[in-house]
Each structure stands twice: as C-alpha cells, then as structure tokens.
Amino acid sequence: MIKKQLTSEIEIYDDISELDKDTQELMKKSLEARKKAYAPYSNFLVGAALLLDNGEVVKGSNQENASYPSGLCAERTAIYWAGANYPDSKILKIAISASSVKKKNDQPIPPCGACRQAIAEYEQKQNHAIEIYFMGLEGKVVKLNSLADILPLAFESKYLEL
Ligand code: THU
C-alpha cells in the first residue's frame, strides 16, 4: 500500500479591486448576470460569466423550475450555452457570484459538485485549464488556476474506453 496526498492551491483576494482589470470586468459581468437569475424557489441568485479565447463573454444565471430538479445552475447554463454556440472556442476563465436575495452575502461561494463535473469535462475537451474566480456580492474573491484543483480524481471520458 502507498499513500498519496492530493493538494491544491487557491488564491484569496481581499476584494474585486485586487484583480487585474480584465478579470474585474468579467466579475462585473457575472454580477450583472446574477440579476437575471430566475430563482423564485430558493431566492438564491447566481451569476456566471465566461471569457472565451475569441474574446466573447458568455453570461448565465441559475434558472429554477417548479419541478425543482429540472432547474439548472448558473455555471452550467453559461458553459452549455458556450459549448452550443462556440464549440471550437476555448473557455479561459469563469467568474461566479452568488448571494441570497434575503441577506447580502460577502463570502465566496464555490461551484456545486455537478457544476464542477461539467466544467471538468470542458477542461478535458479543450485540453486547457480554466481559471475559476468566485465571490459573494462583495468582499473576498477566490481564484483557482484550474477546476481540477477542486475536483481531484475526476471521472473522465478516458475511463469509458477501459
Ligand atoms: N446554484 C448555482 O447556480 N450554482 C451552484 O454552483 C450552486 C447552486 C443554484 C441552483 C439553485 O437555483 C440555487 O442556486 C440554490 O441551490
């Protein structure tokens, strides 16, 4: 038996002003996208903005449904839209912002497990890491250099071929 340690590194910024200008702009687009969420059941609004290598920015927000599991998270709304409309473009960065409408959240909220799995698929498909930035409505921003940093031992397409 051997033991292996899985480690990852994150960067924590005090607030959005510490980010480079382009990333600040992307995060602002995520905050804009958040306002368009349809979340009457949870009242938890999430925005996502993706920067593609062709310069386009794709925005998404969570879209809920009276049949709860039929709703979709902001990150997957955005990433699937990008995949459907720009299948040959690489996704370079994702900025995510999330807060309940009831209480102004200032904590960075990371993507859920299902979104991690979906984003991981795109990293593998494009063979290029995606930078992930996430925050609440204000306050600290967390940066990951790759989705793989928060989904070690991911299930990947290569396992289907074993
Ligand atoms: N949600 C997202 O949009 N992204 C996540 O990563 C976590 C959760 C949404 C789904 C649902 O509409 C609401 O937040 C509460 O779970």
Side-chain angles (χ1 to χ4, degrees):
M1 192 272 277
I2 56 161
K3 281 191 185 180
K4 280 192 179 175
Q5 266 193 337
L6 306 172
T7 56
S8 58
E9 200 175 72
I10 64 171
E11 291 175 13
I12 304 171
Y13 296 82
D14 269 343
D15 62 48
I16 191 173
S17 68
E18 278 193 4
L19 301 171
D20 65 69
K21 280 275 169 285
D22 288 354
T23 310
Q24 278 185 41
E25 285 310 309
L26 194 66
M27 189 54 92
K28 284 181 191 160
K29 296 221 162 91
S30 145
L31 289 158
E32 270 169 36
R34 180 187 162 274
K35 293 187 192 152
K36 295 189 177 161
Y38 174 62
Y41 306 105
S42 70
N43 286 313
F44 188 76
L45 312 189
V46 185
L50 317 182
L51 176 67
L52 308 183
D53 66 354
N54 63 5
E56 290 283 336
V57 172
V58 170
K59 296 195 275 185
S61 55
N62 52 327
Q63 301 294 317
E64 297 187 347
N65 192 282
S67 171
Y68 292 4
S70 301
L72 196 65
C73 291
E75 297 89 326
R76 277 176 288 160
T77 302
I79 209 161
Y80 291 151
W81 199 93
N85 290 285
Y86 299 104
D88 301 323
S89 296
K90 289 186 177 164
I91 298 162
L92 303 179
K93 298 180 187 181
I94 304 183
I96 305 160
S97 53
S99 178
S100 156
V101 288
K102 293 180 183 152
K103 195 167 159 272
K104 201 173 184 184
N105 167 51
D106 63 0
Q107 302 296 311
I109 300 184
C112 78
C115 289
R116 293 180 197 200
Q117 183 68 29
I119 299 167
E121 179 82 19
Y122 283 77
E123 281 198 338
Q124 291 147 25
K125 173 187 170 224
Q126 65 185 31
N127 194 27
H128 191 287
I130 301 174
E131 290 179 11
I132 319 269
Y133 297 83
F134 52 89
M135 68 179 293
L137 269 193
E138 56 189 21
K140 292 194 172 19
V141 182
V142 172
K143 176 191 176 188
L144 312 169
N145 288 319
S146 165
L147 187 280
D149 290 335
I150 50 167
L151 190 62
L153 305 180
F155 181 78
E156 301 177 18
S157 59
K158 67 181 182 198
Y159 299 126
L160 297 174
E161 286 142 29
L162 294 182

